[in-house]
């Protein structure tokens, strides 16, 4: 990471090996402007949130919180489960939000890319996620919106976007996110 780069944590809302969301996340990272240092932060080993565990914090929770504290912005790339946010991603958000008053999300600029192999592009997940970001006090980029439909056909095995129009859209989206971070980040 070069000096002056923005440290962006990328959270993927799917755990499976063949995840299309993960491939889209990697494609977005490749198309990010030079000033954004984007890295996927894993969420699969975070045990389900239970406040009792705050007395003896699981190592995976502590590592996740430490990693997110270093991030200056967060990019969410997620599928939709039953018209909402997949439980694993919601759990990561919950883990990062506690203990009360020590949220790792506080004030950090965010952007959301939702995806689906279907036509609607996970609009429901995208907007349910936005609801949590309001409470977490994360300024979420409004435009451009990214509801990626028919997502299975978009990215090849090298994590490159196959369709020129989509590549342009992803490039513009990441450039807009950089501008959004510069406008809304606290430091
Ligand atoms: C889905 N899927 C789905 N798709 C959608 O567009 N809207 C939805 O509400 C749902 N609901 C849903 C629930 C559950 C439990 C599963 C497992 C799947 C389909 C989903 O978009 C598809 O499996 C994606 O490929 C998941 O993303 P990854 O794993 O490929 O990144």
């Amino acid at each position: 990471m070069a000096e002056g780069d923005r440290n962006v944590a990328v959270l993927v809302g799917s755990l499976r090996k063949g995840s299309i969301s993960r491939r889209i996340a990697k494609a977005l990272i490749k198309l990010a402007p030079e000033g954004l240092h984007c890295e996927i932060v894993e969420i699969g080993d975070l045990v389900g949130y239970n406040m009792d565990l705050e007395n003896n914090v699981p190592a995976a929770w502590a590592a996740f919180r430490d990693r997110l504290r270093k991030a200056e912005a967060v990019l969410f790339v997620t599928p939709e489960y039953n018209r909402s946010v997949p439980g694993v991603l919601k759990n990561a958000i919950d883990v990062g939000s506690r203990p009360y008053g020590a949220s790792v999300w506080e004030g950090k600029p965010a952007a959301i890319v939702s995806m689906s192999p279907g036509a609607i592009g996970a609009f429901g997940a995208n907007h349910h996620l936005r609801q949590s970001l309001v409470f977490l006090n994360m300024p979420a980029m409004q435009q451009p919106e990214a509801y990626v439909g028919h997502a299975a056909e978009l990215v090849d095995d090298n994590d490159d976007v196959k369709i020129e129009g989509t590549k342009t859209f992803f490039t513009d989206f990441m450039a807009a996110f950089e501008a959004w971070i510069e406008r809304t980040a606290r430091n």
Side-chain angles (χ1 to χ4, degrees), residues 29-170:
I29 290 170
K30 278 191 174 187
L31 296 171
E34 260 184 32
L36 294 188
H37 179 82
C38 302
E39 207 176 86
I40 293 178
V41 177
E42 301 299 341
I43 62 172
D45 57 355
L46 300 173
V47 65
Y49 189 79
N50 172 348
M51 204 154 67
D52 292 347
L53 301 181
E54 297 291 0
N55 300 324
N56 185 13
V57 172
W61 284 16
F64 179 75
R65 288 168 174 170
D66 284 348
R67 174 62 187 84
L68 262 295
R69 270 191 207 100
K70 291 188 188 113
E72 297 171 275
V74 183
L75 172 65
F76 296 94
V77 183
T78 187
E80 176 175 83
Y81 280 5
N82 300 307
R83 294 283 182 259
S84 188
V85 181
V88 287
L89 180 55
K90 182 60 167 55
N91 184 55
I93 289 169
D94 295 341
V95 168
S97 71
R98 294 279 155 159
Y100 186 76
S103 168
V104 300
W105 312 111
E106 173 62 30
K108 290 178 183 168
I112 301 170
V113 176
S114 61
M115 58 62 66
S116 172
I120 302 176
F123 177 90
N126 193 307
H127 281 260
H128 276 183
L129 183 50
R130 282 177 193 274
Q131 184 170 321
S132 292
L133 301 192
V134 171
F135 181 69
L136 296 169
N137 201 22
M138 299 180 82
M141 185 168 75
Q142 310 290 324
Q143 294 291 340
E145 297 158 280
Y147 313 107
V148 181
H150 305 293
E153 298 102 57
L154 294 181
V155 179
D156 68 20
D157 292 341
N158 298 320
D159 309 318
D160 288 315
V161 181
K162 289 195 266 186
I163 297 165
E164 210 48 43
T166 304
K167 189 172 176 180
T168 304
F169 175 73
F170 281 4

Side-chain angles (χ1 to χ4, degrees), residues 16-34:
R16 72 186 186 96
K17 273 202 199 97
S19 164
I20 306 164
S21 313
R22 181 173 287 264
R23 275 165 46 206
I24 289 176
K26 287 181 176 172
L28 287 161
I29 290 170
K30 278 191 174 187
L31 296 171
E34 260 184 32

